[in-house]
Amino acid sequence: MSILPILEVPDARLKTVSVPVKEFDAELKTLIEDMTDTMYDAHGIGLAAIQVGVPKRILVIDLQEAPEGEEAEKNPRVFINPEILDPSEELAGYKEGCLSVPEQYADVERPATIRARWQDIDGKTHEENMDGLMATCLQHEMDHLEGILFIDHLSRLKRQMVLKKLNKMRKERGVAA
Ligand code: NI
C-alpha cells in the first residue's frame, strides 16, 4: 500500500487527456490499490489516475454514505475506460470540491441522470443507470480524464475567486503556491 502525492492546481499535468487502459494486469491492480488508499487518506470520495500523475482512464469512487452518526463502510468502486450514455436534459446542482483544488467548493450543474458503461479491474464491461451524488461524482471524475476541473465549469470571475481563496489559504499555511 502506498499513499501517492496528489497533483494540485495549477499543475499543468491535470490538463492531460488520459489514454484508455488496454492491459488488465498486476500493475493496474497495484495502481488501483494505491489510488484507493490515497483517496481515503485524503478524505475524498473520488479520484482519477491523472490526479496522481498517471494519464490513464481509471477512476475510483466511494461516496461513503452512512446513516447519521454511523461510520461509512469502505466500498470502493473502480471505473476503467468509463463512458456516459443518455445524459438527461434535466440538470442537478451540487456543491462540488476536488482533491486537486483543496478545500474549495462551488455549485456545478450537470445532467441529473446518466447511464454509465465501464470496465472493471478484470476488463469486464458493466452498465448502470445512475442519479444523485453518484451521477455527479462520476461525471466530475470523468472530466479529469479530459483534463477538465470542476472550476472550469464556473464563470471566469468565480473561478478566479476560488483560486484566489486557495492561494490565500496556502499562504496562511505557509505552503508554496
Ligand atoms: Ni476532482
Side-chain angles (χ1 to χ4, degrees), residues 93-106:
Y94 267 95
K95 202 161 221 117
E96 296 189 18
C98 180
L99 295 175
S100 294
V101 191
E103 293 176 54
Q104 309 305 315
Y105 302 90

Side-chain angles (χ1 to χ4, degrees), residues 35-120:
M35 283 174 61
T36 308
D37 292 339
T38 302
M39 174 180 73
Y40 288 127
D41 180 68
H43 304 289
I45 61 169
L47 187 76
I50 189 60
Q51 293 180 275
V52 292
V54 180
K56 290 186 182 172
R57 302 183 85 81
I58 306 166
L59 314 172
V60 293
I61 292 178
D62 188 347
L63 302 180
Q64 297 164 70
E65 287 170 319
E68 194 68 37
E70 284 178 41
E71 200 169 316
E73 272 178 50
K74 285 194 168 86
N75 180 27
R77 300 187 68 182
V78 178
F79 300 88
I80 299 169
N81 303 328
E83 296 168 66
I84 290 176
L85 317 165
D86 303 328
S88 62
E89 275 177 36
E90 186 201 338
L91 302 178
Y94 267 95
K95 202 161 221 117
E96 296 189 18
C98 180
L99 295 175
S100 294
V101 191
E103 293 176 54
Q104 309 305 315
Y105 302 90
D107 282 314
V108 177
E109 288 202 321
R110 303 179 184 273
T113 65
I114 54 171
R115 185 162 181 81
R117 179 190 291 154
W118 70 95
Q119 284 171 284
D120 65 20

Side-chain angles (χ1 to χ4, degrees), residues 116-136:
R117 179 190 291 154
W118 70 95
Q119 284 171 284
D120 65 20
I121 201 161
D122 300 311
K124 196 173 163 246
T125 301
H126 300 264
E127 273 191 35
E128 187 180 308
N129 294 325
M130 295 175 177
D131 60 10
L133 184 57
M134 190 62 210
T136 292

